[in-house]
Amino acid sequence: MPPKRKNDAIVKVEDVGMEVDAVLDSGSEDEARRRAKNRRPQRKAKRVSDDEEDEEDEDEAPRKRGRKKKAKPRDSDEDDEEDSRSVKSKGSKASRRKAAKEESDEESEDDRQKRKKRGRAASKQEKEEHNKEKKGNVKGKEGMKDKGGEKDKKKKNGKMSSSSSSSDSDGESLSEGEIEALKEQVEEKKRTIATLRNQPWRMKRRLVVLKEAQEFVEKFEGALGKGKGRKLYAFKVMMTKKLIKFKRDFDNFKTACIPWERKIKEVESHFGSSVASYFIFLRWMYGLNLVLFGFMFGLVMLPEILMGLPYGSIPRKTVPREEQDTAMDYAVLFDFGGYCKYSFLFYGYYNHERKVGVLQFRLPLSYLLVGVGIFGYSLMVVIRTMARNANEGGDGAEEGEFTFSWKMFTSWDYLIGNPETADNKYASITTSFKESIVDEQENQKDENIHLRRFLRVLANFLITSCLGGSGYLIYFVVKRSQEFAAMNKENLSWFEKNEVEFVMSLLGLVCPPLFETIAELEDYHPRIALKWQLGRIFALFLGNLYTFLFALFDEVTAKLESEKSIKNSTEWALNQYYSNYSSFFNTTDVPPPAVHPADVIRGPCWETAVGIEFVKLIVSDIQVTYLTIMIGDFVRAVTVRFLNYCWCWDLEAGFPSYGEFDISGNVLGLIFNQGMIWMGAFYAPGLVGLNVLRLLSSMYYQCWAVMCCNVPHERVFKASRSNNFYMGLLLLVLFLSLLPVVYTIMTLSPSFDCGPFSGQEKMYDVIMETIEQDLPSFIGNIFVYATNPGLILPAVLLMVLAIYYLNAVSKGYQQANIDLKKKMQMARDEEKNRRNNKDSTNQVMKDLEDLLPNKSLIPPPTEEEPPPPDVVVEKGSKSPKTKPGTAGKGVNLQKDVSLAAPNPRAPVTRAPGPRRGPPGRAGGPQPGPGRGRGRGGPPRQ
Amino acid sequence: MGSRASTLLREEEIEEIKKETGFSHSQITRLYSRFTSLDKGENGTLSREDFQRIPELAINPLGDRIINAFFPEGEDQVNFRGFMRTLAHFRPIEDNEKNKNSASEPLNSRTNKLLFAFRLYDLDRDDKISRDELLQVLRMMVGVNISDEQLGSIADRTIQEADTNGDNSISFNEFIKASFWASVTSCVLIYAAVLFA
């Protein structure tokens, strides 16, 4: 009897109440089977009487009937199963026993579901109980239950079935129904504990179930008691409800705490998700920088300011005498000379004293660790974010058949009550429609594939040659500027002096629009086009970076050389002084030379110079960006808007028009800016703070600018919220900026008279020193071993292997994912088809079909393929999961199917049961339609 | 407030409404108080203007359609019974009702909910959503921001997606098939809005 059996799980879940009753009846397990057998005829009789009764009070319980009808036969079944499982014994047939074992798995599923369902089933249970009572059921033995029944009755009489809706939980916090349900549950749990010993489960599962049951009983026992216990329970329930409400409020609060969420939503609703993705990225960047600033400020700057020597105490913290006159000049400060240069913003200010202050804070060590840790942390965060975004999945293009229909019929949020929000919602609906139109056009574009390919290759060729040309130009200009640098500065014209900057900004100005124009040839979807554009401009900007670094390294080498000579001369002067002093005063106890710190001869301190370069770059970048927005967007918008009244052509629609938001440029600007920060942070700790300010102001400024002066793109397109492409670029830049910093740390020797590492041969010597002096010796040994090439090589090998393995695994998962997606799609289609078929059948046909499964019960063995009409009925009832062999709805359902399919028990156990009775009897049609219709409920309603 | 309102409502009436709509006693009294507070004319019926005063409906592009759904054909007043009958559409389906015998379908059945949503779009009540009707609704929803041509293509696409029998309109069956359960859920939200506002 395939159909019946397959529905078992479902029915069981739904008929929790019934099941409970049934099991209660069979109080003593030993005679359960006998009783169950005896009871069967009774049941049938009872069923008939039930029906009669129902007809009597037709109006009162119209909805109970369906349930009851199908619940009854289930009831006895349930007994069967329970018994066979718990007794698991002597008289039963071998097959049955086997089946019981197999069933147990399924059962556990049920149990769990039941438990979940319990709360909702409360009202159901009540009703069932009520029925029972009406029937004059004498089987309820436990006092508890009787009491429950009485109470139930009283309540019914008193206030006319208040239980009909489960949603009226407002009002009293603890209704009668809830207590009732809880009592039931507690009873059931107790019984579970009692019978657990007999269950044919694994020990582990038994323990789990036992623990759960005990906890439950302990928790809710109070509800059963009177007086204090009950009050306590009521209090608990109230607290739970309060807690839930609090949690919801807290979630709301958390959402409200996401900074700029409303601003971004507003931008998104007007400009589409692509523009919003930039702002989301900006916000993320701000968060990252805030953390970096926290590290830098808390572990480096603050200790030096609080515990280090004050300004003016040592040469590195003092402005040199010859600079002091101009040190406070605005122009000097603006170039970060003067007091700025000798402040905590830069590397040179920090002292090389090993431990500072009362806390014995190891500042040099901390400086190095923070400098490197910034990279480590950024790397970790970027990669983690990327991984998380990848999990969220998809690049935003959600597939689905009814895209437009969904948007059309479901996009409005009916709870919006605020006019401003409504405006935004209008805008966002419009935008999303536009996005869908673009996607759709892209999908439906039928094209000459050869022409398209040719054009794409051509475009790529053009752009590559553009990039190559500009790369060579940069190289050439840099080369020339080096030549110029060797020449006398007086002879150079202004152009020759600023050639590099000029060429760079010219390229930056010309190339992006050029690329965009060429990209028109390719005719990609805007989303993909944006990625290409990003990649190309990225390559161009790399040239920028290259020139900058090149110039910087030249400067550094020059500084290093001059430093060497200065160092030599100072040492020579010092030696001179010492020998003179000792020979003059004839003593070896020479006091240090009494020179004012401002007058000490000092080296060029290349680290600070590098830091200043970076800070200058960032500042000029900020200026340029803000000015561009001001002029390019705001002034343009104002001009277009107001000159339009007195102009000969339509400015708004015609030539200048309003600006569009340049996503690619802004994103790349942000990324390269961050690269500069990463590179410069080591030499200028204040840089991170500056960047935090920049991002903060940029957020407000750009939000304002975009809302005020820009118009949405011609083709608004949908961008992924995950921004993984941006993240990928960021990761690349992070890596690129990691290289020079690590190179300088590892190879160049620090300046002798400034910065926390002065006096060391290499910067990383600080770590060595700490290991040697402050840590126990065995750790030093460990380090020595760990740095042994013999150990490092295998470690690298191991890592490579691990990467390979993980890669393979992830590929496998991806494949599985795709397969599952396909299956889900198939299942969905199938379900849809079924529903269509079902809607077309009329009531008479259905009744006829409902009769069929009874016939199909008779030939039991082949349960794999129920006869076709049978399938139709199943369709009507409970969705694809009941049909073996289909893909199922998803993973879980599939498991159900696989559990159910091979189970050989069904035909054997059930065949002699009451199931065969009804068709044999004259009343055959009665239960058929009843059951069928009862189950056919949900999809049809 | 609730207790005062319930005194105005006779017990038998509550019983009848309960039977008809499935609302519980407390819900009915609460809705009654809501009804009276909406009823500015204090004549026991609601007019269209009364509904317009609910902000959620006032700014909803489909607000007019929803309000229309409260009024029987050709009338512009609705009494409490009618009000409740329409609201009953929004009542969530409960577990214990799911397996009910479908001989007499309750107002809040899935089909009826879908029908309610369908009627919002079916302006001329011919049980079909035609292209023109879609266009009208679209214009309500997006205003003038999208060109007529594009709106037309959206409507065409929507019909093309949902239409299976090729009559260039969406019938109720096709509407169900597209399974806009979500729209019905959002209708349930109106219920919440009206009920608890």
Side-chain angles (χ1 to χ4, degrees):
Chain A
M1 49 190 88
K4 180 63 199 165
R5 225 209 58 65
K6 272 178 263 157
N7 270 347
D8 270 357
I10 306 143
V11 177
K12 244 188 260 167
V13 173
E14 284 164 2
D15 291 353
V16 195
M18 274 335 275
E19 196 218 350
V20 170
D21 296 348
V23 180
L24 262 179
D25 294 345
S26 59
S28 63
E29 298 286 342
D30 287 340
E31 52 178 31
R33 176 179 318 284
R34 192 158 31 85
R35 285 186 43 203
K37 268 176 196 160
N38 292 342
R39 217 161 41 212
R40 265 170 212 147
Q42 278 178 19
R43 294 256 167 187
K44 271 172 232 153
K46 213 180 288 156
R47 198 184 309 136
V48 176
S49 68
D50 276 359
D51 286 352
E52 284 167 11
E53 253 182 57
D54 278 344
E55 271 156 28
E56 279 168 25
D57 46 30
E58 182 71 58
D59 53 343
E60 216 225 84
R63 56 182 75 151
K64 283 173 209 157
R65 202 187 348 168
R67 285 188 47 73
K68 218 187 293 171
K69 262 183 199 160
K70 71 184 164 84
K72 280 298 139 181
R74 203 39 249 133
D75 208 346
S76 56
D77 271 0
E78 204 61 50
D79 278 359
D80 271 358
E81 276 165 34
E82 287 286 320
D83 298 346
S84 66
R85 215 173 299 129
S86 54
V87 181
K88 192 202 173 187
S89 67
K90 314 118 194 181
S92 74
K93 297 163 208 162
S95 65
R96 176 180 281 200
R97 207 184 301 153
K98 209 195 294 170
K101 252 182 225 162
E102 266 160 14
E103 181 86 351
S104 72
D105 259 340
E106 205 175 313
E107 175 74 9
S108 75
E109 278 285 324
D110 293 349
D111 273 350
R112 243 166 271 142
Q113 272 167 309
K114 255 181 259 162
R115 237 163 268 141
K116 267 184 236 154
K117 197 104 181 172
R118 191 61 50 156
R120 271 185 288 162
S123 54
K124 234 186 281 173
Q125 281 181 354
E126 268 175 35
K127 230 171 273 165
E128 295 289 351
E129 225 171 305
H130 188 229
N131 286 344
K132 240 189 173 162
E133 206 182 19
K134 251 198 311 195
K135 275 181 272 165
N137 190 347
V138 282
K139 272 177 282 167
K141 283 163 200 155
E142 265 97 304
M144 222 58 228
K145 258 193 70 66
D146 271 338
K147 240 186 270 166
E150 274 163 30
K151 229 182 240 170
D152 204 26
K153 193 180 189 177
K154 262 182 241 155
K155 192 180 57 185
K156 281 253 164 159
N157 295 341
K159 45 179 222 170
M160 317 286 290
S161 86
S162 69
S163 63
S164 66
S165 84
S166 62
S167 65
D168 63 349
S169 57
D170 43 281
E172 342 84 306
S173 64
L174 185 61
S175 75
E176 299 275 309
E178 276 171 317
I179 293 181
E180 209 49 54
L182 271 165
K183 279 180 185 171
E184 287 287 334
Q185 285 169 341
V186 171
E187 274 314 304
E188 201 211 8
K189 293 282 174 202
K190 278 183 178 166
R191 208 179 45 251
T192 315
I193 295 173
T195 61
L196 196 70
R197 204 172 283 264
N198 298 329
Q199 306 284 29
W201 295 339
R202 295 246 168 98
M203 202 53 190
K204 200 172 163 191
R205 216 189 113 199
R206 277 195 219 179
L207 283 176
V208 170
V209 171
L210 180 70
K211 207 174 154 199
E212 267 175 22
Q214 276 174 341
E215 263 173 20
F216 188 90
V217 169
E218 229 167 77
K219 194 170 163 197
F220 290 110
E221 189 89 81
L224 298 167
K226 296 233 152 56
K228 206 175 174 188
R230 199 180 146 184
K231 260 182 199 160
L232 190 71
Y233 172 73
F235 178 72
K236 261 186 196 163
V237 168
M238 205 182 64
M239 285 316 284
T240 337
K241 280 184 176 169
K242 284 259 163 67
L243 192 72
I244 289 169
K245 189 173 179 305
F246 173 77
K247 266 183 189 157
R248 207 175 55 202
D249 286 348
F250 187 69
D251 278 347
N252 286 345
F253 176 72
K254 264 199 305 201
T255 317
C257 278
I258 299 174
W260 304 306
E261 185 71 6
R262 271 190 65 180
K263 259 187 171 18
I264 292 176
K265 281 270 177 273
E266 202 175 314
V267 169
E268 181 170 5
S269 59
H270 284 93
F271 290 84
S273 43
S274 52
V275 176
S277 71
Y278 164 73
F279 285 99
I280 292 170
F281 188 54
L282 180 60
R283 184 175 63 187
W284 182 87
M285 205 71 111
Y286 177 73
L288 174 70
N289 275 284
L290 217 53
V291 175
L292 296 188
F293 177 68
F295 280 143
M296 215 33 156
F297 188 75
L299 294 177
V300 173
M301 289 158 82
L302 212 56
E304 178 70 32
I305 294 169
L306 291 182
M307 302 187 283
L309 294 167
Y311 172 84
S313 53
I314 48 173
R316 71 186 66 182
K317 297 188 179 188
T318 321
V319 179
R321 182 81 61 198
E322 64 267 26
E323 287 177 31
Q324 264 177 0
D325 299 335
T326 58
M328 269 314 271
D329 285 5
Y330 178 72
V332 175
L333 283 183
F334 198 73
D335 272 346
F336 293 95
Y339 284 110
C340 267
K341 189 176 173 183
Y342 300 96
S343 72
F344 58 88
L345 289 179
F346 295 105
Y347 172 94
Y349 180 82
Y350 295 85
N351 201 356
H352 67 285
E353 211 178 336
R354 272 197 70 232
K355 297 171 179 175
V356 293
V358 281
L359 292 177
Q360 298 292 297
F361 190 76
R362 293 182 180 80
L363 192 80
L365 180 69
S366 158
Y367 195 102
L368 187 73
L369 289 184
V370 166
V372 177
I374 278 181
F375 285 104
Y377 178 77
S378 308
L379 211 59
M380 197 184 75
V381 168
V382 171
I383 288 178
R384 243 185 45 196
T385 313
M386 281 180 82
R388 203 170 46 225
N389 288 346
N391 280 347
E392 270 167 27
D395 53 348
E398 48 195 46
E399 72 289 356
E401 306 159 78
F402 295 112
T403 334
F404 279 96
S405 310
W406 275 96
K407 280 204 168 59
M408 177 101 198
F409 293 123
T410 68
S411 50
W412 187 259
D413 181 349
Y414 287 86
L415 274 186
I416 292 176
N418 174 7
E420 210 169 298
T421 323
D423 280 348
N424 278 346
K425 190 70 189 172
Y426 275 118
S428 91
I429 290 176
T430 312
T431 320
S432 80
F433 265 124
K434 281 183 180 167
E435 287 174 351
S436 298
I437 290 174
V438 168
D439 279 353
E440 203 56 31
Q441 280 170 347
E442 210 57 33
N443 284 341
Q444 292 187 337
K445 198 162 53 186
D446 52 349
E447 55 190 23
N448 184 344
I449 187 90
H450 296 295
L451 178 66
R452 178 79 48 235
R453 252 181 220 156
F454 169 73
L455 282 178
R456 280 181 186 173
V457 169
L458 180 70
N460 272 319
F461 174 74
L462 283 178
I463 287 172
T464 316
S465 39
C466 265
L467 280 176
S470 47
Y472 179 74
L473 191 62
I474 292 170
Y475 175 76
F476 176 75
V477 172
V478 170
K479 249 321 206 310
R480 236 162 74 108
S481 74
Q482 281 174 310
E483 281 170 29
F484 287 143
M487 292 183 350
N488 192 355
K489 288 240 163 135
E490 303 299 311
N491 302 335
L492 298 176
S493 64
W494 175 86
F495 177 76
E496 280 169 334
K497 265 192 264 183
N498 294 298
E499 202 177 37
V500 178
E501 285 80 9
F502 185 74
V503 167
M504 294 304 308
S505 42
L506 199 70
L507 282 179
L509 213 64
V510 171
C511 280
L514 186 69
F515 290 167
E516 212 158 332
T517 321
I518 297 176
E520 296 274 301
L521 281 180
E522 297 179 308
D523 202 17
Y524 277 122
H525 181 284
R527 187 167 43 234
I528 302 163
L530 174 71
K531 285 187 181 175
W532 279 98
Q533 176 78 357
L534 276 171
R536 283 160 185 165
I537 303 179
F538 185 83
L540 187 73
F541 277 19
L542 276 187
N544 227 330
L545 202 68
Y546 153 79
T547 40
F548 179 72
L549 285 184
F550 207 84
L552 215 56
F553 267 98
D554 278 353
E555 202 182 317
V556 167
T557 27
K559 286 252 163 79
L560 274 175
E561 253 156 48
S562 74
E563 184 192 287
K564 212 176 278 170
S565 61
I566 291 177
K567 193 179 172 188
N568 284 341
S569 60
T570 34
E571 267 170 15
W572 183 77
L574 215 58
N575 282 341
Q576 204 78 355
Y577 163 79
Y578 280 137
S579 54
N580 281 349
Y581 191 93
S582 51
S583 61
F584 191 75
F585 291 103
N586 203 11
T587 168
T588 50
D589 182 26
V590 187
V595 188
H596 190 268
D599 299 325
V600 173
I601 306 167
R602 54 182 86 189
C605 195
W606 61 269
E607 291 96 339
T608 297
V610 169
I612 287 179
E613 282 301 315
F614 275 109
V615 174
K616 267 195 211 162
L617 194 77
I618 294 292
V619 168
S620 73
D621 188 43
I622 296 173
Q623 286 167 343
V624 169
T625 316
Y626 284 15
L627 274 182
T628 317
I629 292 175
M630 206 54 181
I631 295 169
D633 288 328
F634 184 66
V635 175
R636 178 174 166 189
V638 168
T639 324
V640 167
R641 177 81 178 77
F642 290 105
L643 269 188
N644 203 24
Y645 295 121
C646 49
W647 203 258
C648 31
W649 69 80
D650 188 0
L651 285 173
E652 284 182 339
F655 164 57
S657 173
Y658 296 105
E660 283 181 357
F661 187 79
D662 175 20
I663 304 170
S664 55
N666 275 304
V667 166
L668 283 180
L670 201 59
I671 288 175
F672 274 91
N673 171 60
Q674 192 59 38
M676 295 295 164
I677 302 298
W678 276 323
M679 275 194 275
F682 189 73
Y683 300 113
L687 195 57
V688 193
L690 189 71
N691 193 40
V692 167
L693 287 183
R694 182 228 167 117
L695 293 178
L696 186 67
S697 61
S698 174
M699 188 78 195
Y700 287 104
Y701 184 53
Q702 286 196 303
C703 263
W704 165 78
V706 81
M707 289 301 286
C708 155
C709 335
N710 286 2
V711 288
H713 288 245
E714 194 73 15
R715 302 172 74 195
V716 187
F717 62 91
K718 195 159 156 201
S720 64
R721 275 186 85 82
S722 64
N723 297 334
N724 252 7
F725 190 73
Y726 302 162
M727 288 289 171
L729 290 181
L730 192 67
L731 193 65
L732 190 60
V733 165
L734 175 59
F735 185 69
L736 287 179
S737 52
L738 181 71
L739 286 181
V741 175
V742 170
Y743 171 77
T744 50
I745 290 178
M746 298 307 277
T747 57
L748 297 183
S749 55
S751 305
F752 73 100
D753 64 344
C754 70
F757 311 113
S758 53
Q760 314 268 6
E761 191 54 37
K762 292 280 184 313
M763 290 181 188
Y764 61 84
D765 284 346
V766 182
I767 298 178
M768 298 296 154
E769 200 183 74
T770 312
I771 290 173
E772 277 167 22
Q773 295 183 10
D774 298 335
L775 294 178
S777 60
F778 73 92
I779 294 185
N781 285 339
I782 291 176
F783 265 90
V784 170
Y785 290 131
T787 48
N788 189 353
L791 215 65
I792 288 178
L793 266 178
V796 169
L797 212 62
L798 198 72
M799 274 200 266
V800 169
L801 284 180
I803 289 173
Y804 177 75
Y805 169 74
L806 289 178
N807 195 26
V809 167
S810 82
K811 282 254 171 63
Y813 281 141
Q814 251 166 14
Q815 192 54 42
N817 238 340
I818 292 170
D819 288 349
L820 285 177
K821 255 184 201 161
K822 267 186 204 156
K823 272 183 190 163
M824 263 164 77
Q825 181 64 35
M826 267 166 58
R828 231 178 346 211
D829 290 349
E830 208 164 314
E831 194 185 7
K832 229 173 257 166
N833 291 339
R834 279 181 188 177
R835 207 179 290 141
N836 296 349
N837 294 346
K838 212 211 122 226
D839 285 330
S840 62
T841 54
N842 60 21
Q843 193 59 44
V844 182
M845 275 301 290
K846 208 162 288 162
D847 284 356
L848 278 176
E849 283 161 1
D850 284 348
L851 296 180
L852 289 172
N854 289 328
K855 284 177 199 159
S856 76
L857 300 181
I858 300 166
T862 57
E863 77 161 15
E864 281 299 302
E865 7 181 274
D870 194 358
V871 177
V872 179
V873 177
E874 287 303 311
K875 274 173 204 162
S877 57
K878 266 297 173 185
S879 83
K881 82 157 124 177
T882 53
K883 189 181 162 196
T886 57
K889 248 186 197 165
V891 195
N892 290 334
L893 297 185
Q894 224 169 354
K895 203 162 92 193
D896 268 1
V897 171
S898 63
L899 277 175
N903 190 343
R905 186 183 61 131
V908 190
T909 35
R910 302 273 171 75
R915 208 55 38 80
R916 218 202 259 150
R921 280 151 43 104
Q926 264 181 356
R931 193 176 65 216
R933 229 189 283 157
R935 293 230 187 89
R940 289 189 63 230
Q941 279 182 6
Chain B
M1 178 110 181
S3 59
R4 192 186 58 82
S6 67
T7 55
L8 299 174
L9 209 57
R10 276 177 297 123
E11 277 300 315
E12 310 88 73
E13 222 172 334
I14 294 182
E15 273 314 302
E16 280 175 36
I17 291 171
K18 195 162 29 176
K19 217 168 283 169
E20 188 177 20
T21 62
F23 281 112
S24 76
H25 194 280
S26 62
Q27 281 172 324
I28 291 173
T29 49
R30 186 195 285 242
L31 278 173
Y32 187 71
S33 71
R34 177 78 179 135
F35 180 84
T36 44
S37 72
L38 280 176
D39 179 19
K40 294 290 180 215
E42 298 191 348
N43 48 7
T45 56
L46 291 184
S47 63
R48 279 166 209 274
E49 289 74 42
D50 289 328
F51 280 107
Q52 289 283 9
R53 244 171 258 128
I54 303 172
E56 281 82 3
L57 288 178
I59 59 171
N60 192 333
L62 294 173
D64 278 340
R65 304 289 312 149
I66 295 171
I67 294 171
N68 252 354
F70 278 92
F71 297 94
E73 198 96 40
E75 290 179 35
D76 54 356
Q77 295 287 320
V78 60
N79 61 8
F80 187 58
R81 288 291 289 276
F83 180 72
M84 292 302 284
R85 215 172 292 134
T86 313
L87 279 189
H89 285 110
F90 308 131
R91 204 163 61 82
I93 302 177
E94 285 148 29
D95 295 340
N96 54 346
E97 290 177 282
K98 267 181 188 160
N99 304 309
K100 236 190 71 177
N101 201 329
S102 55
S104 65
E105 238 170 356
L107 286 167
N108 66 338
S109 73
R110 186 187 151 112
T111 316
N112 271 332
K113 280 188 169 135
L114 279 169
L115 193 62
F116 185 86
F118 181 78
R119 293 255 163 83
L120 291 184
Y121 297 92
D122 181 21
L123 302 176
D124 55 7
R125 303 202 178 202
D126 64 347
D127 289 335
K128 269 181 190 150
I129 301 179
S130 68
R131 184 175 185 271
D132 282 339
E133 283 161 349
L134 274 189
L135 269 181
Q136 279 189 40
V137 172
L138 266 178
R139 213 159 277 140
M140 285 189 237
M141 262 164 51
V142 302
V144 291
N145 291 320
I146 297 185
S147 69
D148 282 355
E149 189 190 339
Q150 280 176 324
L151 281 186
S153 71
I154 292 172
D156 284 338
R157 277 290 290 146
T158 313
I159 289 178
Q160 189 191 326
E161 275 172 3
D163 187 22
T164 48
N165 58 5
D167 61 351
N168 271 336
S169 59
I170 302 173
S171 69
F172 183 51
N173 271 341
E174 286 158 354
F175 188 79
I176 292 179
K177 190 193 56 183
S179 186
F180 299 119
W181 193 229
S183 80
V184 176
T185 349
S186 56
C187 277
V188 171
L189 289 182
I190 320 175
Y191 157 70
V194 175
L195 186 60
F196 299 113

